[in-house]
Amino acid sequence: MTIIRPRRRTDEAPLVLTTEPPRSLSFADQTAFWANLGVSLIGFTGAVYVLQPAGHPQLPILGALLATVLGTVLGTGMVVAAGAVGARTGAPAMANFRGLFGTKLSYLPTLANIVQCIGWGVFELTVIAGGVLALTHGRVGHAPVIIAAGVLCTAMSIWPLRVLHILRRYVTVAVAISMLYFTVQLLRNPLPPVHGTSWSGFFPGVDTALAVAVSFVPLAADYTRHARSARAASGAAMLGYSVAQTWCYLLGVVALIQVGGDPNRIFDTFLGVGAGWVFFAILVLRESDQSFANVYSTAMSLQNLLPRVDRRILAGAVGALATVLALGVHDFTGFSNFLLLIGSVFVPLCAVLVVDYFFGRGRRGWNLDDNAPARPLMLLPWLLGFAVYQLLNPGSISWWAQLWTHAQNALDVHPGWWSSASLFSFVVAGLATGVLVLAERRFTRA
């Protein structure tokens, strides 16, 4: 994909893949965008998977705080690295994988990302419906909220850069005020004592916080490609997202402890403070930018498969699909398994992408054309990293977990409290890619 066509004089995102992207997003625009993505109603409810990791006793408060901070910073660092690639190439996220794997093989991560983004989009619409349900005490039905939110998110994806400017000017300030208000209100009273805690689930808790952040790895370049510089894009993503997600999850942990760890009552905590409904309503409305980001990035992923199709048509189709699917979703059963699956796919993929771009063939310029040649060897470190992740944390899907448990026994691998699936997966995939990079250099010189 060689971006050579001149663009019309506009600050909006191009309609087809082959048009040069505008570099119109300032540091403030991007910081506000990532900060808004870091705050989510899913973050409040998802904090239960950090506080109470699957298969482990509840973490002590200090353990939950440290797991949140460590997982968020590490995950955001991976997002920053992936976004830096897009800021340098000017290509959207999935098109960059043409340089890593070749055009045809880049369809593998593209399809995975399409599934991920649609899944997240459905979850976000469901969260909005749940927030409105709590806000109105059930007086507003599920379907009308889903349809209204779906229409709004789809419309936002038609004018993505204009939306980012609006977020910076208006929404981020309102969200920050709401978060500050809830923080002060929830910390006015001492937290109830928590008994029977253990640090054994510390790294699974880290992996959960990391998985939420790293889910934006295959989306980051869709937005950083419009940054005025790679340095500004990296700094904005690191500052905006890491601070916001950490704040969001820590507030969620506090709210959960106050309701005895019951995630079904967490919204009651926010609505129970004075004037809480006003600030909670702001957070519910803000949730739309999460779904917007998923709809837009799904459209950009589809453009890697259909580079000459207008992104507005793709965004409209994706928004409609997510809305229809969300109409039948009413709970978050299996949400932690969804996060772990995302992490196991995209954590090692990020390592392969970054190592090859900054230390391998990417230094000389990746081939992003429609006919970029296949590089099948680069799939090996990705698959290796995926296997390492599953060996250390196979999740809770019964048949899948049993498969990897048998592999653990066969290889005599027995993970302990110290074994972070995300970190080991990233390191192994990165090192394996480094070996291929060195071998390719020597072969080229010979």
Side-chain angles (χ1 to χ4, degrees):
M1 183 208 69
T2 303
I3 301 176
I4 55 176
R5 293 184 187 174
R7 61 181 177 86
R8 292 181 298 172
R9 192 174 182 80
T10 176
D11 286 335
E12 194 47 86
L15 300 182
V16 294
L17 190 62
T18 51
T19 303
E20 178 188 358
R23 299 282 187 160
S24 59
L25 295 183
S26 66
F27 177 83
D29 291 329
Q30 295 170 92
T31 302
F33 171 66
W34 287 108
N36 276 285
L37 291 184
V39 175
S40 171
L41 298 182
I42 279 185
F44 296 139
T45 56
V48 69
Y49 300 111
V50 176
L51 185 64
Q52 303 169 3
H56 298 273
Q58 180 171 313
L59 284 171
I61 296 176
L62 178 60
L65 301 184
L66 291 177
T68 298
V69 172
L70 181 58
T72 298
V73 170
L74 292 174
T76 306
M78 297 178 190
V79 174
V80 167
V85 175
R88 291 170 179 265
T89 64
M94 294 301 107
N96 282 316
F97 287 114
R98 294 182 174 190
L100 180 63
F101 296 127
T103 299
K104 298 299 183 182
L105 290 179
S106 74
Y107 296 165
L108 293 176
T110 298
L111 292 173
N113 192 46
I114 290 171
V115 172
Q116 178 209 197
C117 287
I118 291 176
W120 272 112
V122 171
F123 270 119
E124 293 294 350
L125 291 176
T126 309
V127 168
I128 293 173
V132 172
L133 180 69
L135 193 62
T136 63
H137 303 288
R139 289 191 291 269
V140 178
H142 178 81
V145 176
I146 291 293
I147 293 172
V151 170
L152 174 61
C153 298
T154 303
M156 292 169 68
S157 68
I158 303 298
W159 297 280
L161 299 189
R162 193 176 304 177
V163 167
L164 264 62
H165 292 304
I166 294 174
L167 291 177
R168 174 180 63 83
R169 293 177 182 175
Y170 307 108
V171 179
T172 305
V173 175
V175 170
I177 292 173
S178 301
M179 292 287 290
L180 182 60
Y181 180 80
F182 282 127
T183 301
V184 172
Q185 291 295 323
L186 294 184
L187 292 179
R188 290 178 62 183
N189 300 315
L191 295 176
V194 180
H195 304 289
T197 60
S198 170
W199 285 80
S200 64
F202 178 75
F203 279 110
V206 170
D207 284 342
T208 298
L210 193 155
V212 176
V214 85
S215 66
F216 290 104
V217 161
L219 283 66
D222 295 336
Y223 308 96
T224 58
R225 67 190 293 236
H226 299 290
R228 294 174 183 172
S229 72
R231 179 176 297 182
S234 299
M238 193 71 204
L239 174 64
Y241 191 86
S242 61
V243 170
Q245 178 172 293
T246 298
W247 192 0
C248 178
Y249 266 66
L250 296 188
L251 193 57
V253 167
V254 170
L256 281 166
I257 291 175
Q258 290 190 348
V259 295
D262 183 359
N264 295 320
R265 296 172 53 202
I266 190 169
F267 290 164
D268 296 338
T269 305
F270 296 102
L271 293 171
V273 303
W277 69 271
V278 176
F279 299 99
F280 188 75
I282 293 173
L283 297 182
V284 172
L285 181 62
R286 185 231 54 82
E287 198 74 20
S288 60
D289 65 18
Q290 293 268 1
S291 190
F292 137 71
N294 286 294
V295 170
Y296 176 67
S297 285
T298 306
M300 297 307 299
S301 296
L302 286 168
Q303 276 201 323
N304 188 42
L305 309 177
L306 306 166
R308 292 169 180 80
V309 177
D310 191 316
R311 63 166 176 79
R312 296 172 297 185
I313 297 175
L314 297 174
V318 170
L321 175 61
T323 301
V324 170
L325 293 176
L327 288 173
V329 178
H330 296 270
D331 60 49
F332 298 99
T333 303
F335 180 59
S336 61
N337 291 326
F338 183 55
L339 293 181
L340 292 175
L341 180 60
I342 290 170
S344 64
V345 171
F346 291 109
V347 166
L349 182 59
C350 177
V352 180
L353 174 79
V354 172
V355 171
D356 188 66
Y357 182 80
F358 288 102
F359 303 100
R361 187 175 293 186
R363 294 198 312 167
R364 303 189 300 273
W366 272 341
N367 183 350
L368 304 181
D369 292 338
D370 290 342
N371 59 351
R375 302 177 64 197
L377 284 179
M378 302 310 296
L379 295 173
L380 296 179
W382 181 22
L383 295 175
L384 180 60
F386 175 81
V388 168
Y389 194 110
Q390 294 301 320
L391 280 172
L392 297 180
N393 194 348
S396 302
I397 301 175
S398 58
W399 66 270
W400 183 259
Q402 290 176 3
L403 174 67
W404 289 99
T405 300
H406 291 321
Q408 288 176 344
N409 295 331
L411 297 173
D412 196 26
V413 174
H414 301 288
W417 65 268
W418 45 267
S419 53
S420 168
S422 298
L423 298 184
F424 278 88
S425 172
F426 187 88
V427 170
V428 168
L431 290 175
T433 306
V435 171
L436 291 180
V437 166
L438 292 175
E440 186 177 59
R441 285 183 187 175
R442 293 186 178 181
F443 179 78
T444 302
R445 290 174 183 173

